[in-house]
Amino acid sequence: MRSLPSAVMTADALSTVRTRFAPSPSGHLHVGGARTALFCWAYARQQGGKFILRIEDTDQKRSSDAASLGFLRDLKWLGIDWDEGPEFEDCGGGEFGPYFQSQRVETYTKYLDQLVVEGRAYYAFDTAEELDAKRKAARAANQNYRYDGSAAMALSPDEVQRRLDVGEAAVIRFKLPHEPIVIRDEILGEATIAPEQLDDFVIRKADGFPTYHFAVVVDDELMQVSHVLRAQEHFMNTARHMVLQDALGFRRPTYAHLPLIFNPDGSKMSKRDKDKTLRAAVKAKGIDNLNVVFRQTAGIDAWLKDKDSQLEFDSAIMLADDLAVQLPEINVDDFRRSGYLPDVLINYLALLGWNPGGDVEKFDRAYLVEKFGFDRVLKSPAKFDRAKLLAFSHDAIQALPTEEFVRLFRAHCDEFHPEFIEKLSPEHFDLLAAANHKRSKTLDDQVRSSLFFVLEDSAIEYNTEDKNARKAIANGDPPGRAHLEALLPLLEGLHQWDVAGLEKAIGAYVEAQAGGNLGKVAQPLRVAVTGTTISPAIYETLAILGKVSTAIRIRRCLEAFA
RNA sequence: GACCCCAUCGUCUAGCCAGGUCCAGGACACCAGGUUUUCAUCCUGGUAACACGGGUUCAAAUCCCGUUGGGGUCGCCA
């Protein structure tokens, strides 16, 4: 270990790198949060420091334990492990806890009291309604609203105490100093904020909890956070945090504000986007066409009207199914369900707002850890491009050895599509997985087209109007229909029902009756067993399906197209 | 509206800080052709950007100023 030059050891410098990811536990981990966590983690790992996870649950209205657990799993799935924080599997713990802000209220109160005693903060008794009215009035008059603390500060200490004693609701506000505030940011550079741009902001809510600004500042100090990496929407907040640090005599961490991640249409990528999609679909279809379950669900009207309200996860899935709309993937968990590999998501996310320079864009965690630096983080927002993510996924899936793909596909089905595990023998499942490998872009994208394997024979539908199906069955000389009729007894008499046996038998038929053109025979077969022209290679498809189902489906198909 | 930040192909971006090697490179998407028993791949080729206007300079995508455009913030949310 070499020692640092003494010049670096200023009062503000924290010698050990400690980064933190500090989400509020509302809902799942979304991709923006995941990227912030990723960069925090990568920087800590690179510097041999610590990565801390802290749960910012100071909003009693929103917090829920189940939600906070959900994204711990998401983080682990991405391969982002934390040294300190909530204990989960082999992560968490640490000597600077508790890591849930709701359990640190006493600590905040101590510092809050200190500021009040020192005259740097004061009680204020305005109601939310009063403030709201003033804000609206200011806006109507085209004026900037700033809180006027003169009335609150004019209150004598005795008067304040008396009103507190009778239980009047009060917040504590920070008395903003009058000097300009210079924000230094590793990514954005320097910005000077005039004190008039800020006002005496609330640091303790009426319910006794600190506001975000206060809790962040206290915790970052106490947890010895050296580097704060967070989304750019917090840039202005930095000024508030800095004046609080000064008032409290705290050290100043290094700040780095990350560019935002947008939807392709330029709107901010939000967890509300799913509900937005659903509302639009409901409105387009008309509420009367909704499934009765939903029409009768209490609150569906309120949900339709309130842009901020969110449906429960299961309800959203059901409604999307009912409306036949695809919900946008927003959360890490959504991408997991969609069959993306964690390494792929990590790689793509890392490229949003950062890159290692040159033409390199495929890399793993180790490379990110080695190369990550604030100097290569972009300043402007990036749009999330699902097509590019899909392309990355495709490459990664194709690079997998087939045995590995089979293993991952089985794990994916275990969790999300158990019917494939239940209805197929282990051997046939493996054959299906292997047959799907080279057609797959994700672990999930061939599930829909493979459904015919697990459906009842009678559930296969033949759409005689379908152009491709008609072409396969009715066209040609002889037409596909004739091939099916000829093949039926041949297949029913086949003893070796596996890929090799089928290839031999059908291959021979093709040579003799279809001029060696496999497509002439494979396509009718495909339509017969799937109802569509889409399936894995035909021999694999038939081998997995089995002789009985194949024969039944060929008969049904011939009837349908008769 | 006020303040702060930003600005290269449709998208993510390299190049900019240390001006010339950039009539701007890569990837995704798109288009055309080819391979393939379907689908999906795969191969080859192509279209496509320095927001605009002024400066500085022998020379500007790169430096400066302005305009325009985009974003963020302005909560007892975080």
Side-chain angles (χ1 to χ4, degrees), chain A residues 217 241-253 255:
Chain A
V217 163
H241 301 170
M242 287 169 62
V243 292
L244 281 175
Q245 283 154 356
D246 292 347
L248 260 4
F250 289 167
R251 294 162 294 188
R252 180 106 70 230
Y255 288 99

Side-chain angles (χ1 to χ4, degrees), chain A residues 128-201:
Chain A
E129 293 72 32
E130 286 167 6
L131 295 173
D132 205 37
K134 284 181 186 173
R135 269 188 211 105
K136 281 192 177 129
R139 179 161 285 268
N142 228 340
Q143 304 246 292
N144 269 336
Y145 173 77
R146 290 186 75 223
Y147 178 75
D148 177 8
S150 56
M153 279 187 281
L155 262 27
S156 71
D158 288 347
E159 172 70 1
V160 168
Q161 197 54 52
R162 190 191 61 75
R163 293 173 72 165
L164 254 19
D165 288 344
V166 299
E168 200 171 323
V171 300
I172 296 179
R173 283 179 182 269
F174 180 69
K175 200 185 288 179
L176 194 83
H178 292 288
E179 298 86 54
I181 307 152
V182 179
I183 302 175
R184 286 191 184 79
D185 184 278
E186 294 298 304
I187 295 162
L188 264 14
E190 267 188 25
T192 303
I193 310 295
E196 299 78 44
Q197 294 308 315
L198 267 29
D199 63 4
D200 292 354
F201 54 95

Side-chain angles (χ1 to χ4, degrees), chain A residues 409-521:
Chain A
F409 184 66
R410 188 187 300 113
H412 184 76
C413 286
D414 247 330
E415 191 169 5
F416 301 114
H417 308 289
E419 65 271 26
F420 283 90
I421 307 281
E422 289 155 11
K423 299 224 172 146
L424 263 26
S425 71
E427 293 74 26
H428 281 170
F429 182 89
D430 285 6
L431 191 54
L432 168 61
N436 270 339
H437 183 197
K438 64 178 193 292
R439 319 163 63 225
S440 293
K441 295 187 174 185
T442 70
L443 292 176
D444 202 86
D445 70 339
Q446 291 307 320
V447 165
R448 192 169 277 276
S449 68
S450 297
L451 244 28
F452 70 89
F453 282 115
V454 295
L455 288 175
E456 296 299 323
D457 296 327
S458 59
I460 302 297
E461 289 171 17
Y462 300 97
N463 179 1
T464 54
E465 303 300 311
D466 181 81
K467 220 177 92 192
N468 290 329
R470 284 204 67 81
K471 193 174 149 198
I473 302 295
N475 289 12
D477 183 26
R481 183 192 296 115
H483 286 307
L484 287 180
E485 281 162 358
L487 242 16
L488 189 53
L490 195 153
L491 290 173
E492 284 190 299
L494 184 65
H495 293 295
Q496 193 193 342
W497 195 274
D498 57 20
V499 174
L502 286 159
E503 187 164 3
K504 205 171 145 198
I506 296 175
Y509 175 86
V510 168
E511 281 307 319
Q513 308 296 327
N517 188 340
L518 180 58
K520 294 257 184 276
V521 172

Side-chain angles (χ1 to χ4, degrees), chain A residues 213-231:
Chain A
H213 303 297
F214 197 78
V216 155
V217 163
V218 170
D219 288 344
D220 284 346
E221 166 70 18
L222 264 27
M223 294 178 183
Q224 299 183 14
V225 170
S226 65
H227 291 72
V228 173
L229 279 71
R230 50 166 37 159

Side-chain angles (χ1 to χ4, degrees), chain A residues 331-481:
Chain A
N331 299 320
V332 168
D333 192 53
D334 298 333
F335 289 98
R336 192 169 66 93
R337 279 172 191 280
S338 293
Y340 289 93
L341 268 18
D343 297 29
V344 170
L345 234 204
I346 287 280
N347 187 174
Y348 181 72
L349 249 23
L351 242 19
L352 250 27
W354 178 82
N355 70 79
D359 293 339
V360 179
E361 60 175 5
K362 298 286 183 64
F363 50 80
D364 59 12
R365 286 179 196 73
Y367 186 84
L368 207 217
V369 166
E370 186 194 330
K371 300 287 186 185
F372 180 77
F374 303 130
D375 55 339
R376 297 204 64 90
V377 176
L378 279 312
K379 302 178 184 186
S380 38
K383 287 176 186 164
F384 193 98
D385 182 0
R386 285 195 179 71
K388 183 147 180 170
L389 205 216
L390 223 213
F392 271 39
S393 180
H394 179 244
D395 292 346
I397 293 276
Q398 294 312 314
L400 250 26
T402 292
E403 313 82 73
E404 179 65 0
F405 175 80
V406 170
R407 194 184 68 76
L408 291 169
F409 184 66
R410 188 187 300 113
H412 184 76
C413 286
D414 247 330
E415 191 169 5
F416 301 114
H417 308 289
E419 65 271 26
F420 283 90
I421 307 281
E422 289 155 11
K423 299 224 172 146
L424 263 26
S425 71
E427 293 74 26
H428 281 170
F429 182 89
D430 285 6
L431 191 54
L432 168 61
N436 270 339
H437 183 197
K438 64 178 193 292
R439 319 163 63 225
S440 293
K441 295 187 174 185
T442 70
L443 292 176
D444 202 86
D445 70 339
Q446 291 307 320
V447 165
R448 192 169 277 276
S449 68
S450 297
L451 244 28
F452 70 89
F453 282 115
V454 295
L455 288 175
E456 296 299 323
D457 296 327
S458 59
I460 302 297
E461 289 171 17
Y462 300 97
N463 179 1
T464 54
E465 303 300 311
D466 181 81
K467 220 177 92 192
N468 290 329
R470 284 204 67 81
K471 193 174 149 198
I473 302 295
N475 289 12
D477 183 26
R481 183 192 296 115

